[in-house]
Amino acid sequence: MNVNQERIKQLQQEMKAAGMDMYLVPTADFHQSEYVGTYFKVRAWLSGFSGSAGTLLVTADKAYLWTDGRYFIQAAKQLEDTGVVLMKMGEEGVPTVEEFLEEQLPENGCLGCDGRTIHVAEGKAFEEMLAKKNGILKCDKDLGGKIWTDRPEMSREPVYLLDIKYTGKSREEKIEAVREEMKKAGANTHIISSLDDIVWLLNIRGNDIMYNPVVLSYVMITMDKVYFYVQEEAVSEEVRGELEKAGIEICPYFAVYEDVKGLKASDKVLLEDICTNYTLYKAIPEHTEVVFEANPAAIMKGNKNQTEMENIRIAHIKDAKAMCRFIYWLKQNVGSGEVTEYSAAEKSLELRKEDPDCLDLSFETICAYGPNAAMCHYAPTETEYAKVEPKGFFLIDSGGQYWQGTTDITRTIAVGVLTQEQKEHFTLVLQGHIRLAMAKFQYGCSGANLDPLVRGPLWERGLDFNHGTGHGVGYLLNVHEGPQNINWRMRANGRRGNMTPFEEGMLTSNEPGLYLEGKYGIRTENLLLCRKAEKNGYGQFMEFENVTWVPYEREAILPEMLTKAERQWLNEYHKRVYEIVGPMLDEKERAWLLEATAEI
């Protein structure tokens, strides 16, 4: 019995003692964050699967792990010999977690979980399903935490202030704008649990989740007060003073659960059901009316203002310099036999950190050679990595956190001879990428409308990729941010961002790919700013502005597969890359870039 089997057996013993038939362990903190701090990695500790997305369900004698297409290969590898059954989400014949529970939970059964790690909509759905079976939901026990005896402490990294020269708006202006939206909803109280929305609203940042500069906290806004629930040792006197000037009262982190119990019958509370944990919601008195709507801050945060947009352009030029230097370094050194996936990841970090405005990475760098690149979110470690050979493809997906914004870029690089198949596949991915970059569309179009543009070249050949085409990106914030995304698939849960219309100022990734298990993976990613184009009798048209300036791999492109318009776009893009980045490089790097951006 390996360590994960032992841990799950311990959990099953605790379940039995608590009278639970099944126990749910999602990938979540108390704020429904996509990525979580080490304290909250209960699912990973129990199962052995370290991916950022997954749900563990433990029964009296078995365990199941649901994850999405980004992690199928990784999960299969990490769950080997653990006894945990991999449930591939979206695959034919694989039930959802909810369907599985409805089918397998016995009559009069009990489902357990830590209610702080499921959101309101999930909790309500579980209660409704259990009612049909005369069952109950016990959501007051953190059983995983009970058996995790050497669990790390909850992070309480220092909070720091973000200057208005970066934010474009003061915290007072933002709070007032949120109150205006509260009035429209008829609410006099607004509870915010989502960490990125909170730090955006208060013009602060932190480091409580690796690569995501957020602060573990809650906010409750009334029409005359703002309560900031935070671990008080994380707040310096300087930060406290600035927040108090704006009428923000600092309160202990966990005090929010008691404070909401004091809400009156005359109060009307606005909160977002998929961002608020179930335990917090259940603490609100039954006599208090709750309005479920999207957090106003989330909508405002997604539409970058003019100051943020200008800073974002600067951040991406800084990032382009580092990435161009990285590609030159890789091509110069791959033949030495000394380059590994891990050393390449370290080199990309080193080059980014040479810029004093780079604070950190925006996510764990994905450096993947050959078959490893077929695992969408594979990342090497200091002890587990592949050597990069002078043949085939090398994929790097990386980004930085700058004072001027957040970057995210993927390039698939030829490190040696390519096959005809590799070139065809690379060109198909690039073609879809270019089609989105070139898109002009009517205002009101969403990611669901635009996704077929990107996937078209692959679909025509019976090919596809099993992840979204694009996600929103924050400003010195989470690299994955809503409300928008680009994905044709309809999601039963979540903000359904693929139906959110594109607005001016939205920063979105453009990242089609293709993955052949055991062979190679290809992905090409730029970030796009949505801008208004012309307005005429047909309506308001929208378009995208590229902010990423790094060459695509010319050696992998088959020009004859591209249309004339696509080739023209590519040549103009490469010309612009050289104009922007060339002057920042040394002589040898500049000579390489001139060749890398030559017309095709």
Side-chain angles (χ1 to χ4, degrees), residues 490-502:
M490 300 295 289
R491 301 296 185 188
N493 297 316
R495 281 174 166 161
R496 293 172 71 96
N498 65 336
M499 301 304 292
T500 299
F502 277 95

Side-chain angles (χ1 to χ4, degrees), residues 35 57 62 67 74 83 201 224 230 232 239 273 300 317 362-363 417 429 447 461 463 475 518 552 599:
Y35 298 102
L57 183 66
K62 289 182 181 177
T67 192
Q74 177 183 337
L201 179 70
D224 57 359
V230 63
E232 292 178 276
V239 171
D273 58 355
M300 299 173 194
I317 290 171
S362 55
F363 56 96
V417 176
V429 171
R461 303 220 183 179
L463 300 169
Y475 180 97
Y552 306 108
E599 285 196 3

Side-chain angles (χ1 to χ4, degrees), residues 32-44:
Q32 307 306 307
S33 305
E34 178 185 11
Y35 298 102
V36 299
T38 53
Y39 174 86
F40 296 101
K41 293 186 177 180
V42 182
R43 185 224 70 211

